[in-house]
Amino acid sequence: MRENLRQAATRTSRLRSALASCGVTAVAVVASLSLPASAATQHSAATELERARAACPSGYVCIYPDASASGDPDMYFEYGSYNLENVFGNRLVVNNQTGGAGVRFCKSYGGQNCGDRYAPGDYVLNLSPINSIMLEP
């Protein structure tokens, strides 16, 4: 009889521990679900940009298929102009060049009629009016 009481007490103790553990887990889940949506969005956007930078090798300018880091980017490395074909709409552009090298977006082919210089960084740009890019030191 004592053995049965001891086993029942042990089961009760284990059950309390399990419930306490579930309670802590439930509190953690509720707390994470109650985060502001902007915090979750900022985290995913930061993660996406980190992924884009990692996929674009050092020294390159990468143009992604859309405004996110999804898909395989077109990559450009050497200084000079590059004509773009079928590149339109908002695109994520990562200038991962080193030494402060810049990129210009040009309305004409052959690196002509270029706009402002973009320093290394991440940009979402409407490339519909752009026909070429110019990589420069």
Side-chain angles (χ1 to χ4, degrees):
M1 174 103 158
R2 280 188 177 189
E3 185 61 33
N4 287 342
L5 289 174
R6 188 176 308 145
Q7 287 176 354
T10 302
R11 274 183 264 165
T12 303
S13 175
R14 287 182 185 161
L15 182 58
R16 281 187 190 141
S17 295
L19 289 174
S21 167
C22 288
V24 169
T25 303
V27 168
V29 169
V30 170
S32 69
L33 291 176
S34 63
L35 283 175
S38 62
T41 303
Q42 288 173 351
H43 176 69
S44 68
T47 302
E48 188 171 312
L49 287 177
E50 289 168 2
R51 188 172 52 245
R53 283 187 208 113
C56 186
S58 178
Y60 283 77
V61 170
C62 299
I63 299 177
Y64 283 83
D66 57 29
S68 70
S70 62
D72 294 327
D74 293 326
M75 295 187 269
Y76 307 92
F77 179 73
E78 294 183 10
Y79 297 137
S81 66
Y82 296 88
N83 292 332
L84 303 179
E85 293 183 24
N86 296 318
V87 178
F88 50 87
N90 289 334
R91 301 286 188 110
L92 173 62
V93 177
V94 176
N95 180 359
N96 214 11
Q97 296 183 94
T98 58
V103 60
R104 293 182 189 269
F105 299 89
C106 311
K107 292 184 178 180
S108 301
Y109 289 107
Q112 301 297 310
N113 196 13
C114 299
D116 294 335
R117 176 187 170 94
Y118 285 79
D122 315 308
Y123 308 94
V124 174
L125 303 169
N126 178 7
L127 297 184
S128 292
I130 304 302
N131 286 304
S132 65
I133 61 171
M134 174 76 76
L135 275 60
E136 54 189 20

